[in-house]
Amino acid sequence: MDGNGRWAHNKHESRQYGHKIGSSKVYDVYKICTDLGCKSATFFAMSSENMQRDNDETEFISQLLVSSIEKHFLDLLENKIKFKVIGDTSSLSNDIKQLINTTEQATKNFTEFKMYIAYNYGGQWDILNAVNLALSNNDSITHDTLSNYLSTENDFPDLIVRTGGYKRLSNFMLWQAVYSELEFLDILWPDISRRDIELIFEQYTATKRNFGIVK
Ligand code: IPE
Ligand code: MG
């Protein structure tokens, strides 16, 4: 979800305002995705590298995470959506960790719909974390064990969409992206619309995926 800062700058507003509006779009976009047939989506809110931004900005974004979880908690339950925050949440305050844990526990048995937020997330962190988990359980490091220990639990994205104009993964799901379709949009995240998502899905549906095999 790239482009909040530039969107706000274009409107002579603060970066924080951009994050606030950007954050308010996330759940709506998830609902549009499920409307269009996608049952599982991860939103990249903060990368490991983004955490090096000013404390004011990272703190503000962590509060946005809190307010959006609180706002949508009941809706997650009503619609049977499994919610999870993936990433290194160890630096968050105990209150926030507690809220995340409560929400994850309350939704952990839902299997049909998944909404994940990647926070202080890095694909490199995810791989290292998976290796360390496997080692601590005395499991061998194979393709399958590693895939299962990733924060996404062996669920790989079919499609990765990045808004904001840059064509790079920026440390997102490096292992899981192995055969993802990639879509890069010039749209700044707060401007994303239902029509944009419909067009992306139409293009995805029309793409023949071979997974490296001659078909
Ligand atoms: C994306 O918006 C959201 C986060 C990384 C938290 P940016 O903050 O990267 O916005 P730009 O790239 O400065 O426009
Ligand atoms: Mg950016």
Side-chain angles (χ1 to χ4, degrees):
M1 301 185 281
D2 198 14
N4 291 347
R6 280 165 284 162
W7 181 87
H9 181 81
N10 293 343
K11 295 193 153 17
H12 310 287
E13 294 280 358
S14 66
R15 293 183 59 78
Q16 295 194 342
Y17 180 74
H19 292 314
K20 187 168 172 234
I21 302 301
S23 163
S24 75
K25 305 274 309 206
V26 178
Y27 206 70
D28 294 345
V29 168
Y30 178 72
K31 285 308 186 75
I32 294 167
C33 291
T34 58
D35 246 16
L36 298 174
C38 162
K39 295 184 167 173
S40 170
T42 300
F43 294 85
F44 198 6
M46 278 292 264
S47 70
S48 318
E49 292 72 27
N50 291 153
M51 297 303 282
Q52 291 160 34
R53 294 183 180 185
D54 281 357
N55 196 45
D56 279 359
E57 183 163 342
T58 58
E59 182 58 32
F60 188 77
I61 292 170
S62 71
Q63 287 309 322
L64 288 173
L65 178 65
V66 170
S67 44
S68 17
I69 295 175
E70 285 172 343
K71 183 164 178 207
H72 300 294
F73 183 81
L74 289 177
D75 200 81
L76 290 168
L77 290 183
E78 268 164 32
N79 290 290
K80 299 190 171 5
I81 300 164
K82 178 174 175 173
F83 176 85
K84 200 171 154 182
V85 174
I86 60 169
D88 180 2
T89 52
S90 59
S91 64
L92 289 171
S93 71
N94 285 339
D95 284 358
I96 303 183
K97 279 193 272 207
Q98 184 60 49
L99 175 66
I100 292 171
N101 188 40
T102 304
T103 314
E104 288 179 346
Q105 288 302 316
T107 62
K108 72 174 183 203
N109 293 324
F110 299 144
T111 51
E112 193 179 0
F113 295 102
K114 293 180 192 166
M115 184 199 187
Y116 289 1
I117 303 291
Y119 185 90
N120 193 8
Y121 175 88
Q124 293 182 336
W125 168 86
D126 207 358
I127 295 166
L128 285 172
N129 193 52
V131 169
N132 283 317
L133 285 171
L135 290 177
S136 64
N137 286 327
N138 284 324
D139 276 338
S140 52
I141 312 288
T142 65
H143 173 275
D144 290 354
T145 55
L146 197 80
S147 297
N148 279 312
Y149 279 116
L150 291 167
S151 58
T152 43
E153 296 158 15
N154 208 14
D155 196 4
F156 292 7
D158 293 311
L159 170 68
I160 296 177
V161 182
R162 179 184 183 131
T163 58
Y166 296 111
K167 295 184 174 65
R168 54 187 178 235
L169 284 177
S170 300
N171 207 358
F172 187 67
M173 292 199 189
L174 300 180
W175 177 280
Q176 298 92 321
V178 56
Y179 268 106
S180 304
E181 301 298 321
L182 305 177
E183 196 67 57
F184 298 96
L185 306 178
D186 286 330
I187 300 156
L188 303 173
W189 171 256
D191 283 330
I192 195 161
S193 69
R194 184 183 181 99
R195 189 67 201 130
D196 298 322
I197 300 162
E198 285 171 351
L199 287 172
I200 298 161
F201 280 23
E202 277 166 28
Q203 188 161 326
Y204 170 81
T205 308
T207 304
K208 186 166 174 275
R209 302 180 75 199
N210 290 339
F211 301 95
I213 301 165
V214 179
K215 287 185 184 169

